Amino acid sequence: MAGGAGRLPPSAGRRAADQRGVHGHRRRARGGPPARRPGRTGDGPVRAPSAGSLSVGGGHSCLRKAAELLGLGSRQIRTVPVDDAFRMDTAALRRLVVADREAGVRPFFVAASAGTVNTGAVDPLADVAEVAREHGLWFHIDGAYGALGVLADECRPAYAGLELADSLVLDPHKWLGVPVDCGCVLFRDPSGPREAFSLVPPYLRDDDAGELGWFSEYGPEQTRPFRALRVWATIAHLAGDGVAGLVRHTTRLARVLAAMIEDSADFDLLAPVVTSVVAFRHRPTGLDAAAVETLNEAIPAAVQRRGRAFLTGTRLRGAAALRACVLHPDTTEADLAVLLEEIRAVS
């Protein structure tokens, strides 16, 4: 991150990175009590009105898992509604924060997405940052899949406000193609996370560790593999221009696929294409709504079994949807045509 941000090495993946982020933020909680010694119960019994709350939009399920693993409980999570483009509704976020404060609950953390898994949507980051600033919330961005989209000129405007985050998660094992598991979290100020996790007994003390100390002081792992080597090797091979070129190539193909879908009478595009995720639905003529729903639920597995293309399924606004995510550097426009052909074939 800009401005001399603290850097942390890759971790086991998005869930581990988000867990480190949430726990580090909880430790500081903008003046709140330490989280480690009192643990889940704080200085007394857990009561909902005295607990802190986290706000998320269309974020990844790992955020809920992080809250539960850290003893906060999913009851403290506020899921913020999204707009028609599946972006966080910041007016609704502000209302939720105010309602919690009026109820005696102390909000401390908001997680926005820079490329959601379902649709690739990028939340209005600058607006979320403004709400966080107004209310003293830690501003976390989950960019595990989509943060690198900022490197594509056509996508960059959607990422305005990325530089305002207190912490940012990204997964090199996604867009960069680094072998799993390899996630990373960046902190603007690493002192809070270090206070949350650091435990250096005398037999592990290293006076030559430097100002930042051991990597184990920033997360739950004491012994860790050399994940950073994989990231370094990939970036050294591609260089900056290569990484940006990969992002431009895959985001362009996503827009091409979206155009193909919109030009087809039997497909519906379900969300704007912002990154390299395309959410859509197959709707052959002559099928009623129930039959279309059943068909779209079955398509991903059927396409995968044929072995010529790959896509996954999800649910958007309660209905079955298809999800194509273009990440491979060798993907071509011809491959996109094969994908649609395969969907039609299994239908």
Side-chain angles (χ1 to χ4, degrees), residues 214-245:
W214 288 40
F215 288 149
S216 60
E217 294 184 71
Y218 298 91
E221 290 180 293
Q222 181 67 45
T223 302
R224 53 187 303 123
F226 196 2
R227 299 184 183 97
L229 178 61
R230 293 177 248 164
V231 180
W232 175 85
T234 301
I235 294 175
H237 171 68
L238 293 174
D241 289 343
V243 174

Side-chain angles (χ1 to χ4, degrees), residues 150-164:
V150 73
L151 298 178
D153 294 338
E154 300 83 355
C155 303
R156 188 171 298 121
Y159 289 83
L162 187 75
E163 72 283 359
L164 301 174

Side-chain angles (χ1 to χ4, degrees), residues 14 41 140 177 212 260 267 284:
R14 181 203 298 255
T41 59
H140 176 71
L212 290 177
M260 295 168 64
F267 286 101

Side-chain angles (χ1 to χ4, degrees), residues 8 47 91 107 165 176 204 330 346:
L8 291 184
R47 298 185 179 89
L176 283 180
L204 290 179
D330 293 335
V346 302

